[in-house]
Amino acid sequence: MKSLWNDRHASVFRDDLLGLRVYSSRLLGQNPDLVLHGGGNTSVKITETNLFGETEELLYVKGSGWDLATIQAEGFAPVRMKALLQMVTLPELSDSEMVKLQRAAMTDPYAPNPSVEAILHAILPFRFVDHTHADAVVTVSNTPEGARRIQEIYGEEVLIVPYVMPGFVLAQKVYALTQNVQWDKLTGIILLQHGVFTFHDEAKESYLRMIRLVTLAERYLKRKKAGFVRSRVRPSIDLHYLARLRKAVAAKTGSAVIVSTDTSPEAVGFSSLKNVSSLVSRGPLTPDHIIRTKRTAMVAGADPVKSVEQFTASYEKYFNRFTNGKLTMLDSAPRWAVWPGRGILHFGKTLKDARIVQDITRHTIRAIQQAEKLGGWKALPQKALFDVEYWELEQAKLKKGGIGKIFQGKIAIVTGAASGIGKACVEALLSEGAVVAALDMRKDIGKIFYAQEILPLQCDVTREAAVKKAIEKTVLHFGGLDMLVSNAGVFTKSAELTELDEATWNVSMAVNLNSHRLMLKYCLPFLEHGLDPAVVIIGSKNVPAPGPAAAAYSAAKAALTQLARVAALESGRKGIRVNVVHPNAVFDTAIWTDEVLRKRAAHYGLTVEAYKKNNVLHTEVRSKDVARMVVSMLGPAFSKTTGAQVPVDGGNERII
């Protein structure tokens, strides 16, 4: 554990205690071995003068919802110390009442809710207080002789506190244990199976104490040769199994999910352990992780659906065993799964959620193996874990609810994604919550999209091997496939039939027809396991209203529309919808250069502006207009429609 403290950087905050608190908090938050995804909390005590000229001591404590790695000054809630010190003397206080009282004691009504550990921070008689869930320390305490080993490491320089529920009960426990303590002899407090507190009147010293205490635990693990395995085997992944498993998990979650697959040497090594089923059934690294990961992982068996059914049945039994009859059961689906010999799978309603679970499990599987070398991995008893998972504060969040975006957790592929209609479709799908594989033959496709929810893939959709590989990469990356926007196309040069050359004809057939056939061939088997699966194919106005000198383009698009109709007939029994959008005169695409626009407008004796709006509605049709229709056809509004052809053209007289 290396110190990141920089005196020069810290000197900027010489006269700014809150700024210094932000600085050192970020140092802690930047190290995932100390803090993961909103875990841990920090505080600073500051004396201020209020509007009435009264001096009062405030505790600026990390606010709920903020992450130490990126926290800013406004992420700290200012709470009156007097109120917090009064609270700890109450004989009892529910956590909901505690949150209410803490909020009432704040001097800024717009600040976030104070951490549930605010009272504990207040009773520690030091200006700066740091709290982390350090992996090494928690690993040592999560063993049969955890308390003895912690004592062996630290001797008398830390106060060891047996596990109790976070919040008011923990604050009361520490308050009782520290009534006669000699603070000058302590450098920290170890909360068994929870984490570490350090404190000092100087921010630097409190931070360095944290680094030192965690380093001692790390060195202890090293002396005991407590390591973890790495596999050298590259696992083979059954992508159809993965897609079926995702669908089964989504059914139990009650919404679509993304799967983040970890096939790293560490993940494969852990998944290959003979006793892995026993290891992942004992509980999480720290109790606060249970909100993200649930109590246990699922072990994926030969039948993915049966595996999920067994996990959910076990979870429901666990809930029924400990509920008081007034609690609302959370969904029973797993949040992560060990796939024996292949790696670890992580499930989330968003890609961010799945990646958070992956970060947590990466630390968990190391800790489990290290603890096994110290006598065995031993998490908290099931009842204690249940109390955290069904904490009244977490139950209160369920009532607030919230409606997700229509494609949250859903997975799409868009071809021809680098520009025009394809790019607009990617952006529209992303805005509605989907993750998207963006396929295009352009080499710079990776520089066009930066969001982690977009997987940019260079792919020549006329090459069968390239199409197959791109679809497999998509399924492996996100866990399945729900939607296909088959958009890639090319407008070949104009030529009457007597002048039409073979090369022009073949290019149009390859791009405008056969590439879509290849996409359907390799996407449909995965869409069969998708969630409300749907395909939208981008056709053309030239299908119902072809023009002269466009035989290659028009014939290919007409054949494509017929292909889509056959696909709708064949896929309907599998619940897959296939529809077609026919755009016309969409001028903000790569096909329509300024020169082409001028020539076409002149051909009809119109200005460029008039040519753009040369339709019944006298409106310009843009790529985003087509994308809006595509998104609608992929969504619930068209859930009962397949085989349809919808124009997006402002109204074309010849078609009407």
Side-chain angles (χ1 to χ4, degrees):
M1 186 64 57
K2 294 182 179 180
S3 168
L4 302 177
W5 189 275
N6 184 301
D7 283 328
R8 182 169 59 84
H9 294 167
S11 66
V12 175
F13 309 105
R14 185 180 295 109
D15 300 316
D16 180 4
L17 289 175
L18 184 56
L20 192 58
R21 176 69 285 175
V22 171
Y23 169 71
S24 60
S25 297
R26 287 186 170 192
L27 298 186
L28 295 171
Q30 288 169 21
N31 192 329
D33 290 339
L34 293 175
V35 174
L36 276 176
H37 298 290
N41 39 72
T42 58
S43 68
V44 59
K45 299 176 180 75
I46 302 176
T47 301
E48 295 182 356
T49 302
N50 63 26
L51 288 173
F52 304 104
E54 301 166 336
T55 299
E56 54 187 358
E57 190 175 12
L58 304 179
L59 178 78
Y60 279 83
V61 64
K62 179 201 155 190
S64 176
W66 283 80
D67 195 314
L68 288 182
T70 56
I71 197 165
Q72 299 175 17
E74 55 265 36
F76 287 88
V79 192
R80 294 180 178 88
M81 280 285 292
K82 181 179 178 181
L84 292 170
L85 295 177
Q86 286 178 318
M87 285 184 217
V88 79
T89 63
L90 294 173
E92 60 181 34
L93 183 67
S94 73
D95 285 318
S96 294
E97 291 173 325
M98 178 190 72
V99 170
K100 184 178 179 180
L101 287 174
Q102 287 181 171
R103 186 142 195 92
M106 290 168 53
T107 59
D108 180 359
Y110 303 107
N113 281 334
S115 163
V116 294
E117 309 291 11
I119 298 175
L120 178 48
H121 281 258
I123 65 175
L124 298 178
F126 298 91
R127 178 173 290 154
F128 290 91
V129 176
D130 297 337
H131 171 46
T132 74
H133 302 144
D135 287 358
V137 178
V138 179
T139 297
V140 174
S141 74
N142 281 11
T143 59
E145 296 185 309
R148 180 190 66 76
R149 291 182 184 277
I150 293 293
Q151 188 79 54
E152 181 183 343
I153 295 171
Y154 300 113
E156 301 301 318
E157 71 169 301
V158 301
L159 174 68
I160 301 175
V161 180
Y163 176 81
V164 293
M165 185 80 172
F168 179 72
V169 176
L170 176 59
Q172 270 200 327
K173 181 73 173 179
V174 174
Y175 183 70
L177 291 174
T178 57
Q179 287 305 291
N180 299 309
V181 76
Q182 292 180 280
W183 288 107
D184 60 333
K185 294 184 178 180
L186 292 180
T187 58
I189 297 174
I190 304 296
L191 308 175
L192 293 180
Q193 297 177 299
H194 182 154
V196 187
F197 272 87
T198 57
F199 32 77
H200 198 273
D201 287 333
E202 300 296 330
K204 179 178 180 179
E205 183 58 30
S206 183
Y207 171 78
L208 292 178
R209 285 182 172 188
M210 180 66 70
I211 298 303
R212 178 177 172 275
L213 291 182
V214 178
T215 297
L216 290 174
E218 289 177 333
R219 289 175 178 170
Y220 181 84
L221 290 170
K222 189 173 183 179
R223 287 199 306 273
K224 299 295 183 179
K225 295 182 172 53
F228 44 87
V229 298
R230 292 184 176 89
S231 174
R232 296 182 180 179
V233 176
R234 287 182 62 88
S236 60
I237 301 297
D238 183 343
L239 295 176
H240 290 280
Y241 178 99
L242 182 62
R244 289 173 61 210
L245 179 64
R246 169 184 175 254
K247 186 175 183 179
V249 170
K252 295 297 182 180
T253 304
S255 64
V257 296
I258 305 297
V259 186
S260 182
T261 303
D262 187 353
T263 57
S264 66
E266 285 184 26
V268 176
F270 180 78
S271 74
S272 301
L273 295 174
K274 292 181 179 179
N275 63 336
V276 70
S277 295
S278 171
L279 294 177
V280 298
S281 69
R282 301 177 197 173
L285 178 57
T286 70
D288 67 302
H289 287 169
I290 200 170
I291 306 301
R292 296 281 191 179
T293 65
K294 287 200 177 292
R295 182 179 61 87
T296 64
M298 181 182 79
V299 178
D303 185 331
V305 177
K306 186 177 180 181
S307 297
V308 175
E309 291 288 350
Q310 290 174 339
F311 179 90
T312 56
S314 175
Y315 183 85
E316 289 166 10
K317 184 178 179 181
Y318 152 79
F319 175 81
N320 291 329
R321 178 182 175 189
F322 296 114
T323 183
N324 59 10
K326 300 178 181 179
L327 299 172
T328 300
M329 190 178 80
L330 305 171
D331 73 79
S332 57
R335 297 297 184 265
W336 64 296
V338 173
W339 197 357
R342 291 175 175 82
I344 300 176
L345 308 173
H346 313 86
F347 312 104
K349 293 182 180 179
T350 66
L351 182 62
K352 180 181 178 181
D353 289 343
R355 294 276 173 83
I356 287 174
V357 175
Q358 181 167 335
D359 286 345
I360 291 172
T361 58
R362 186 178 294 123
H363 289 257
T364 300
I365 65 173
R366 289 183 180 183
I368 287 175
Q369 293 173 84
Q370 290 175 318
E372 281 291 284
K373 299 292 177 65
L374 300 182
W377 170 252
K378 183 182 179 183
L380 287 169
Q382 288 191 22
K383 179 60 169 67
L385 292 172
F386 181 88
D387 289 342
V388 175
E389 187 175 7
Y390 284 88
W391 197 1
E392 60 179 299
L393 299 181
E394 292 299 326
Q395 285 279 294
K397 292 179 183 178
L398 295 178
K399 297 176 182 178
K400 296 179 181 179
I403 300 174
K405 297 179 178 180
I406 61 170
F407 293 140
Q408 181 174 289
K410 298 192 72 174
I411 304 161
I413 289 178
V414 177
T415 66
S419 63
I421 293 171
K423 187 171 185 288
C425 286
V426 172
E427 292 167 348
L429 285 163
L430 187 67
S431 71
E432 292 295 347
V435 295
V436 186
L439 277 58
D440 201 280
M441 67 185 302
R442 282 174 52 172
K443 293 181 179 180
D444 64 344
I445 183 68
K447 297 179 181 179
I448 295 173
F449 301 108
Y450 295 97
Q452 67 170 354
E453 290 82 9
I454 299 176
L455 175 65
L457 295 172
Q458 183 188 5
C459 178
D460 180 348
V461 290
T462 66
R463 294 176 56 242
E464 185 166 3
V467 168
K468 182 174 182 290
K469 185 177 182 181
I471 293 167
E472 289 175 346
K473 281 185 176 180
T474 301
V475 175
L476 180 61
H477 192 76
F478 294 127
L481 181 62
D482 306 307
M483 300 177 286
L484 167 64
V485 179
S486 201
N487 163 72
V490 60
F491 193 81
T492 49
K493 64 182 181 181
S494 298
E496 294 192 358
L497 286 170
T498 56
E499 303 296 328
L500 181 59
D501 60 82
E502 199 72 13
T504 300
W505 177 267
N506 290 339
V507 166
S508 184
M509 291 299 164
V511 178
N512 295 324
L513 174 60
N514 198 49
S515 71
H516 299 266
R517 180 185 66 82
L518 292 174
M519 290 302 300
L520 288 169
K521 177 179 179 179
Y522 290 104
C523 283
L524 286 174
F526 289 110
L527 287 168
E528 187 175 342
H529 307 304
L531 308 169
D532 187 23
V535 176
V536 173
I537 289 174
I538 308 300
S540 169
K541 176 274 300 184
N542 283 37
V543 174
Y553 179 78
S554 300
K557 286 293 188 177
L560 172 61
T561 302
Q562 194 76 333
L563 176 70
R565 295 170 70 193
V566 173
L569 291 170
E570 293 181 355
S571 302
R573 64 180 181 273
K574 300 173 183 177
I576 304 170
R577 296 179 285 119
V578 183
N579 293 296
V580 180
V581 169
H582 289 314
N584 182 43
V586 183
F587 297 112
D588 59 340
T589 63
I591 300 171
W592 293 96
T593 63
D594 291 341
E595 182 182 357
V596 170
L597 264 174
R598 282 194 299 270
K599 287 183 177 179
R600 297 303 297 168
H603 177 76
Y604 288 97
L606 299 170
T607 65
V608 169
E609 193 62 29
Y611 179 65
K612 286 183 176 181
K613 298 180 179 180
N614 187 27
N615 53 52
V616 173
L617 294 174
H618 300 292
T619 184
E620 183 177 348
V621 180
R622 296 180 172 88
S623 294
K624 66 180 181 181
D625 300 316
V626 181
R628 193 177 295 119
M629 176 57 75
V630 168
V631 166
S632 295
M633 297 185 80
L634 290 169
F638 281 76
S639 63
K640 309 300 181 182
T641 303
T642 193
Q645 301 175 50
V646 178
V648 183
D649 56 11
N652 184 281
E653 288 184 359
R654 292 173 60 201
I655 295 174
I656 294 173

